[in-house]
Amino acid sequence: MNKKVRRGLTPYLGILLIMLGVLYFINITNKKTNYLTYDEFINQMNKGNIVEINITPRSNAKVYEISGKLKDYQKDENFFLRAPLSEEVMSQILIGEEANEFKIKTSADPSSSTLLYIALNILPFVVLIGVAFFFITRQMSSANKSMDFGKSRARLNEDSKKVTFNEVAGLKEEKEEVQELIDFLKDPKKFQKLGARIPKGVLLVGPPGTGKTLLARAVAGEANVPFYFISGSDFVELFVGVGASRVRDMFKQAKHNAPCLIFIDEIDAVGRQRGSGIGGGHDEREQTLNQLLTEMDGFGENEGIIIIAATNRPDVLDPALLRPGRFDRQVQVNLPDKKGREEILAVHARNKIFSKNVNLSNIASRTVGFSGADLENLLNEAALLAVRKNKKAITMSEIDEAHDRVLMGPAKKSKKYTDEEKRMVAYHEAGHAVLGIKLDGANDVQKITIIPRGYAGGYTMMLPKEERFTATKKELTERIIGLMGGRVAEELVIGEISTGAHNDFEQATKIARAMVTEYGMSSLGPMQLEQQEGSVFLGRDYNKSRNFSGQVAFEIDQEMRKIIDECYKEATRILKKERKLLDLIANTLIECETITKEQIDYLVKNGCLPSDDDEIDESDFKELSLEDLTLAELKDLAREYKIKGYTKMSKEQLQKELEKYI
């Protein structure tokens, strides 16, 4: 029986026993008992007043217990006496019974029952011993917990074998880097024959959500070896020396199961640089790190143990941790490219039902900068929206809405603009769109909307036309021109400026300053005048190192102003030239509020929006129901509908609750 169920039944059982005891006591107290002597009993028997008697022998006390009723007794009244345990007493009772013909009942001697004897004589001692044993073991378990304080918190993942490289998409080069670890764990003699030494440690470096933990689990699954996982924060405790003790115990456990993998997530929590004293000292962290360094490559040998660690801040790690012999290899797990995103989408789309007009390649093109976790969340949000709308399959409409929700938050459709404010927002976003259409180096316009989302009153979704690792001066300049389009359109058409362009100016200023101080794209020449300077212990890039004089700072400001002013003038020139297109897009936005890339292209070519698409044939769809969603997706949907207690519900309970709303 479940512990929670037992705990819930215990109070009710206690109450029931108390009630039974009270009823028994009331029943006992309601009966009236008259105590007679043996002589009085014989006297009443000779007079013929006895109606019935019950005789119970007590061999231990050597007496008969006699109870019964007299003729003048009430219903709940009886008598009771004790007589010597002898044949003479029984012969007198039998003689009286022949003379007066009253009923005689005899009960067995309770002391003759083995079970009753055990219950009365042995059971109390057993109960006392059991209670004492319970309290002793409880004290010992609490003592053991205190003794286990320094034990390793690393947990053996039994499900690691279920994850293989088939579940890891978009990381082709990264999988090739760790393939050697799998080959070594399967056949170490192949490497030892040529004198090769497998890396003792592999550090996975990359932004959050790119699949570092998934890749480590897949390595363990492919190699079919034990997989221990632990977080860097599990080593650090208040008491000095506990973390080092846990490191020793972790490697001790791993040696017994070698060959095996140890995965340390967020290793920067324990592996930060030592000795600077900035941000406060922490002897416990330093001792833990020292022990980890010793275990990885010290006097002891850890054959067959491979450590995989993950972090998104390799710059804060101690140099001794990154040297050869400890973490020999660093694997960069970067954000996926278009092909990688398409593969990741295909993995997460396996258990979902899509309409025929959904193209994963197009979705991958529109999700530049998305990590694997972001893409999984995108499809999950689209599935939730499809169920909420009672659709039979996920369409591009739900995917578009999910994309906007992931980036900007849900649409605030209840927020209403005034007519003048709506017109200003429409021209602002149309200004960005026109420049994006007419400039080759500017970002490509994917979607325009004037429906507020998050903190934005409206936005123009612009993505790079091609994914590139470098950018030319012309491309950067045209990006700034595109960012100026909103303010220029307001000033040109409305004759007034608003606060809506503050984020545009922030991005434009960053690009212009980087062009001058970092990229050498100004008259100051090919010099890097500024560089990011991060704090190791704070983990933030708060400052920039400036290696220039006040005169150079003035020249930097002049160059930035020159770039911004030239871009502003160019944006004004283009929008004046394309005033008809600006008015066309703005008026369409005022009417429709949202237009997509396909509609924008049609609008530029034909001067109007396309007619409504034909209704999609329902035969193209398969039924999409609550049964098709996972437990996590059902919980997300329950949160949207504000269902109370959904976190504790099973999948079947959630489906029943959601059927009331859907």
Side-chain angles (χ1 to χ4, degrees), residues 92-104:
Q92 287 184 352
I93 293 173
L94 293 174
I95 292 171
E97 188 247 344
E98 292 179 0
N100 299 295
E101 296 182 354
F102 53 81
K103 296 179 180 179
I104 296 179

PDB file of all heavy atoms in Angstrom, residues 92-104:
ATOM      1  N   GLN A  92     -22.194 -30.298  43.910  1.00  0.00           N
ATOM      2  CA  GLN A  92     -23.298 -29.531  44.509  1.00  0.00           C
ATOM      3  C   GLN A  92     -24.113 -28.813  43.433  1.00  0.00           C
ATOM      4  O   GLN A  92     -25.346 -28.749  43.508  1.00  0.00           O
ATOM      5  CB  GLN A  92     -22.743 -28.525  45.512  1.00  0.00           C
ATOM      6  CG  GLN A  92     -22.234 -29.159  46.810  1.00  0.00           C
ATOM      7  CD  GLN A  92     -21.780 -28.110  47.816  1.00  0.00           C
ATOM      8  OE1 GLN A  92     -21.712 -26.938  47.509  1.00  0.00           O
ATOM      9  NE2 GLN A  92     -21.492 -28.561  49.034  1.00  0.00           N
ATOM     10  N   ILE A  93     -23.420 -28.254  42.425  1.00  0.00           N
ATOM     11  CA  ILE A  93     -24.140 -27.533  41.363  1.00  0.00           C
ATOM     12  C   ILE A  93     -24.984 -28.503  40.542  1.00  0.00           C
ATOM     13  O   ILE A  93     -26.140 -28.211  40.191  1.00  0.00           O
ATOM     14  CB  ILE A  93     -23.131 -26.785  40.470  1.00  0.00           C
ATOM     15  CG1 ILE A  93     -22.454 -25.670  41.260  1.00  0.00           C
ATOM     16  CG2 ILE A  93     -23.815 -26.195  39.240  1.00  0.00           C
ATOM     17  CD1 ILE A  93     -21.339 -24.978  40.524  1.00  0.00           C
ATOM     18  N   LEU A  94     -24.430 -29.686  40.257  1.00  0.00           N
ATOM     19  CA  LEU A  94     -25.193 -30.657  39.477  1.00  0.00           C
ATOM     20  C   LEU A  94     -26.401 -31.165  40.248  1.00  0.00           C
ATOM     21  O   LEU A  94     -27.474 -31.396  39.668  1.00  0.00           O
ATOM     22  CB  LEU A  94     -24.281 -31.824  39.082  1.00  0.00           C
ATOM     23  CG  LEU A  94     -23.156 -31.477  38.090  1.00  0.00           C
ATOM     24  CD1 LEU A  94     -22.238 -32.670  37.891  1.00  0.00           C
ATOM     25  CD2 LEU A  94     -23.736 -31.018  36.758  1.00  0.00           C
ATOM     26  N   ILE A  95     -26.245 -31.352  41.578  1.00  0.00           N
ATOM     27  CA  ILE A  95     -27.396 -31.778  42.405  1.00  0.00           C
ATOM     28  C   ILE A  95     -28.473 -30.707  42.397  1.00  0.00           C
ATOM     29  O   ILE A  95     -29.667 -30.990  42.269  1.00  0.00           O
ATOM     30  CB  ILE A  95     -26.927 -32.086  43.851  1.00  0.00           C
ATOM     31  CG1 ILE A  95     -26.031 -33.340  43.841  1.00  0.00           C
ATOM     32  CG2 ILE A  95     -28.117 -32.294  44.772  1.00  0.00           C
ATOM     33  CD1 ILE A  95     -25.347 -33.582  45.173  1.00  0.00           C
ATOM     34  N   GLY A  96     -28.051 -29.431  42.510  1.00  0.00           N
ATOM     35  CA  GLY A  96     -29.018 -28.333  42.481  1.00  0.00           C
ATOM     36  C   GLY A  96     -29.707 -28.222  41.137  1.00  0.00           C
ATOM     37  O   GLY A  96     -30.876 -27.878  41.057  1.00  0.00           O
ATOM     38  N   GLU A  97     -28.988 -28.551  40.098  1.00  0.00           N
ATOM     39  CA  GLU A  97     -29.584 -28.465  38.759  1.00  0.00           C
ATOM     40  C   GLU A  97     -30.655 -29.536  38.565  1.00  0.00           C
ATOM     41  O   GLU A  97     -31.688 -29.292  37.945  1.00  0.00           O
ATOM     42  CB  GLU A  97     -28.464 -28.623  37.719  1.00  0.00           C
ATOM     43  CG  GLU A  97     -28.936 -28.352  36.288  1.00  0.00           C
ATOM     44  CD  GLU A  97     -28.911 -29.596  35.435  1.00  0.00           C
ATOM     45  OE1 GLU A  97     -28.260 -30.584  35.818  1.00  0.00           O
ATOM     46  OE2 GLU A  97     -29.556 -29.576  34.387  1.00  0.00           O
ATOM     47  N   GLU A  98     -30.444 -30.744  39.128  1.00  0.00           N
ATOM     48  CA  GLU A  98     -31.447 -31.803  39.039  1.00  0.00           C
ATOM     49  C   GLU A  98     -32.690 -31.450  39.842  1.00  0.00           C
ATOM     50  O   GLU A  98     -33.809 -31.788  39.440  1.00  0.00           O
ATOM     51  CB  GLU A  98     -30.848 -33.113  39.539  1.00  0.00           C
ATOM     52  CG  GLU A  98     -29.759 -33.686  38.633  1.00  0.00           C
ATOM     53  CD  GLU A  98     -29.195 -34.971  39.195  1.00  0.00           C
ATOM     54  OE1 GLU A  98     -29.652 -35.381  40.273  1.00  0.00           O
ATOM     55  OE2 GLU A  98     -28.290 -35.544  38.535  1.00  0.00           O
ATOM     56  N   ALA A  99     -32.472 -30.720  40.945  1.00  0.00           N
ATOM     57  CA  ALA A  99     -33.611 -30.386  41.810  1.00  0.00           C
ATOM     58  C   ALA A  99     -34.401 -29.206  41.261  1.00  0.00           C
ATOM     59  O   ALA A  99     -35.636 -29.194  41.357  1.00  0.00           O
ATOM     60  CB  ALA A  99     -33.116 -30.086  43.232  1.00  0.00           C
ATOM     61  N   ASN A 100     -33.714 -28.222  40.700  1.00  0.00           N
ATOM     62  CA  ASN A 100     -34.408 -26.984  40.310  1.00  0.00           C
ATOM     63  C   ASN A 100     -34.485 -26.784  38.792  1.00  0.00           C
ATOM     64  O   ASN A 100     -35.181 -25.880  38.335  1.00  0.00           O
ATOM     65  CB  ASN A 100     -33.697 -25.785  40.928  1.00  0.00           C
ATOM     66  CG  ASN A 100     -33.689 -25.852  42.445  1.00  0.00           C
ATOM     67  OD1 ASN A 100     -34.715 -25.797  43.096  1.00  0.00           O
ATOM     68  ND2 ASN A 100     -32.490 -26.008  43.028  1.00  0.00           N
ATOM     69  N   GLU A 101     -33.793 -27.600  38.051  1.00  0.00           N
ATOM     70  CA  GLU A 101     -33.853 -27.571  36.585  1.00  0.00           C
ATOM     71  C   GLU A 101     -33.537 -26.175  35.999  1.00  0.00           C
ATOM     72  O   GLU A 101     -34.309 -25.607  35.250  1.00  0.00           O
ATOM     73  CB  GLU A 101     -35.233 -28.041  36.085  1.00  0.00           C
ATOM     74  CG  GLU A 101     -35.531 -29.474  36.435  1.00  0.00           C
ATOM     75  CD  GLU A 101     -36.884 -29.919  35.885  1.00  0.00           C
ATOM     76  OE1 GLU A 101     -37.602 -29.042  35.331  1.00  0.00           O
ATOM     77  OE2 GLU A 101     -37.191 -31.100  35.975  1.00  0.00           O
ATOM     78  N   PHE A 102     -32.406 -25.599  36.348  1.00  0.00           N
ATOM     79  CA  PHE A 102     -31.951 -24.342  35.709  1.00  0.00           C
ATOM     80  C   PHE A 102     -30.885 -24.686  34.661  1.00  0.00           C
ATOM     81  O   PHE A 102     -30.324 -25.793  34.659  1.00  0.00           O
ATOM     82  CB  PHE A 102     -31.410 -23.352  36.749  1.00  0.00           C
ATOM     83  CG  PHE A 102     -30.341 -23.940  37.635  1.00  0.00           C
ATOM     84  CD1 PHE A 102     -29.018 -24.035  37.197  1.00  0.00           C
ATOM     85  CD2 PHE A 102     -30.653 -24.404  38.917  1.00  0.00           C
ATOM     86  CE1 PHE A 102     -28.049 -24.579  38.008  1.00  0.00           C
ATOM     87  CE2 PHE A 102     -29.670 -24.933  39.718  1.00  0.00           C
ATOM     88  CZ  PHE A 102     -28.365 -25.026  39.276  1.00  0.00           C
ATOM     89  N   LYS A 103     -30.607 -23.724  33.790  1.00  0.00           N
ATOM     90  CA  LYS A 103     -29.671 -23.946  32.680  1.00  0.00           C
ATOM     91  C   LYS A 103     -28.228 -23.777  33.165  1.00  0.00           C
ATOM     92  O   LYS A 103     -27.924 -22.864  33.925  1.00  0.00           O
ATOM     93  CB  LYS A 103     -29.922 -22.956  31.543  1.00  0.00           C
ATOM     94  CG  LYS A 103     -31.279 -23.117  30.889  1.00  0.00           C
ATOM     95  CD  LYS A 103     -31.455 -22.084  29.785  1.00  0.00           C
ATOM     96  CE  LYS A 103     -32.825 -22.230  29.122  1.00  0.00           C
ATOM     97  NZ  LYS A 103     -33.034 -21.216  28.062  1.00  0.00           N
ATOM     98  N   ILE A 104     -27.372 -24.694  32.683  1.00  0.00           N
ATOM     99  CA  ILE A 104     -25.946 -24.619  33.005  1.00  0.00           C
ATOM    100  C   ILE A 104     -25.150 -24.554  31.688  1.00  0.00           C
ATOM    101  O   ILE A 104     -25.320 -25.402  30.814  1.00  0.00           O
ATOM    102  CB  ILE A 104     -25.490 -25.836  33.838  1.00  0.00           C
ATOM    103  CG1 ILE A 104     -26.187 -25.862  35.184  1.00  0.00           C
ATOM    104  CG2 ILE A 104     -23.971 -25.781  34.042  1.00  0.00           C
ATOM    105  CD1 ILE A 104     -25.809 -27.047  36.039  1.00  0.00           C
TER     106      ILE A 104
END
